[in-house]
Amino acid sequence: MVKTILHGIIIGIANIIPGVSGGTMMVSMGIYDKIIHCITHLFKEFKKSILYLLPIAIGMGIAIVASAFGLEYLFAHFPVQTNLLFIGLVIGGLPAIWKRVQGVKKEKNCQVHIGHIAVGIVFLALVVILAVIGEKEGTAANMSFTLVNVLKLFGVGIVASATMVIPGVSGSMMLLLLGYYNPIIAQISDFIRALTSFDMGGILAGCGVLIPFGIGVVFGIFAIAKLVEIIFDKFPLYAYWAIIGLIVASPVAILLMGSYPALTVVNVLTGIVCLIAGTFAAMMLGEK
């Protein structure tokens, strides 16, 4: 239970940070296939799926609260160390993915060919390009409560959740490009503060934004999870090579999306320690 909640916390934090992919964290910890299976078989295997997904959801909820009360502080004051920690979490999952590729080759009695590698390169390039484009946020979104905005928030939730589930693609980076990242994060913070102070006006305002966005997120997760399951079933080697390309590109995206002070010896040394710690944590948190 505790380990699964930790999985959820890492996934939640990754989904909040532009340039970091929650899907990549799922892969790095070896739980991606299991989460996709539980989502797509939620009603057929309801009890089993809920027992696994609920602690992850709790962990993600904890991460959202942490983002409102402290996560931004770490990125503002310790950007080198924090970004290298997440790069370590990504790198730590690569051996497990390569092991999956070897397992598929043995099971299907097939070999890797140029098409598989080409898919990996294409997806690697895609993430890097998105990271370069996403360095600046678009015009801030209008968050006033109107029917048009409610429909927009539903659609944005679908896009964000779909990209959150795909390894290597940052859902928060897509929100940044659409101009909804800062408004949504600010609204979450305001909603949490309204709840703690029993401010009904703030709670209702938050619900007007977060409920349609949340419904879109849930809808998008179920839709993309089914598509991902079909791809893994029909084209497993292509899927895994695409993930390898996405994961290899993720550290580049994280570095491009971050902002850094002048490097010092202390920053570099502590950053290396965080990189090693992140790699070790990913390997320890991975499903055996």
Side-chain angles (χ1 to χ4, degrees):
M1 173 70 81
V2 174
K3 185 177 180 180
T4 310
I5 290 175
L6 288 174
H7 287 160
I9 291 173
I10 291 175
I11 294 166
I13 293 174
N15 278 328
I16 292 165
I17 303 164
V20 186
S21 166
T24 299
M25 292 297 104
M26 296 178 204
V27 172
S28 295
M29 294 182 291
I31 59 174
Y32 186 76
D33 294 351
K34 193 169 184 179
I35 288 177
I36 294 297
H37 179 85
C38 287
I39 292 171
T40 55
H41 294 78
L42 180 62
F43 298 107
K44 289 182 180 178
E45 303 172 9
F46 186 77
K47 184 178 179 180
K48 179 182 175 182
S49 297
I50 287 294
L51 287 175
Y52 185 72
L53 293 175
L54 185 59
I56 290 177
I58 291 171
M60 292 178 71
I62 293 171
I64 291 171
V65 174
S67 72
F69 299 99
L71 186 60
E72 290 183 9
Y73 176 86
L74 292 177
F75 277 91
H77 293 84
F78 307 101
V80 174
Q81 296 88 338
T82 309
N83 279 294
L84 284 176
L85 174 67
F86 274 94
I87 288 173
L89 287 169
V90 172
I91 293 172
L94 274 174
I97 293 300
W98 187 248
K99 187 176 179 181
R100 297 281 185 92
V101 171
Q102 300 305 312
V104 171
K105 285 169 56 181
K106 185 176 180 180
E107 180 184 345
K108 303 290 185 180
N109 192 27
C110 58
Q111 295 298 317
V112 173
H113 56 70
I114 191 67
H116 299 132
I117 298 172
V119 167
I121 293 171
V122 167
F123 277 87
L124 185 154
L126 175 64
V127 173
V128 173
I129 290 169
L130 284 174
V132 172
I133 295 172
E135 287 187 34
K136 294 182 180 179
E137 184 177 14
T139 304
N142 181 356
M143 305 294 278
S144 59
F145 186 72
T146 65
L147 178 60
V148 172
N149 284 340
V150 166
L151 294 175
K152 281 184 180 179
L153 284 164
F154 176 74
V156 169
I158 293 174
V159 172
S161 63
T163 50
M164 285 174 188
V165 173
I166 300 171
V169 183
S170 169
S172 52
M173 184 165 63
M174 295 305 297
L175 286 177
L176 198 67
L177 292 173
L178 294 170
Y180 278 84
Y181 178 75
N182 286 327
I184 290 290
I185 292 297
Q187 190 63 67
I188 291 171
S189 300
D190 292 343
F191 181 70
I192 293 171
R193 292 189 181 95
L195 280 176
T196 56
S197 61
F198 300 102
D199 175 10
M200 287 306 299
I203 292 172
L204 290 174
C207 288
V209 172
L210 298 178
I211 287 177
F213 177 75
I215 293 172
V217 167
V218 173
F219 182 86
I221 286 174
F222 276 91
I224 197 67
K226 189 61 183 177
L227 177 61
V228 167
E229 185 180 53
I230 293 171
I231 291 171
F232 271 91
D233 181 54
K234 301 294 184 182
F235 312 103
L237 273 182
Y238 284 102
Y240 279 119
W241 272 94
I243 287 175
I244 288 173
L246 292 167
I247 289 179
V248 170
S250 290
V252 179
I254 293 170
L255 292 173
L256 286 174
M257 293 295 291
S259 57
Y260 309 96
L263 291 178
T264 65
V265 174
V266 174
N267 280 343
V268 172
L269 291 178
T270 53
I272 291 172
V273 170
C274 289
L275 178 69
I276 295 170
T279 304
F280 182 76
M283 295 174 70
M284 290 298 99
L285 287 171
E287 294 288 331
K288 301 297 188 283

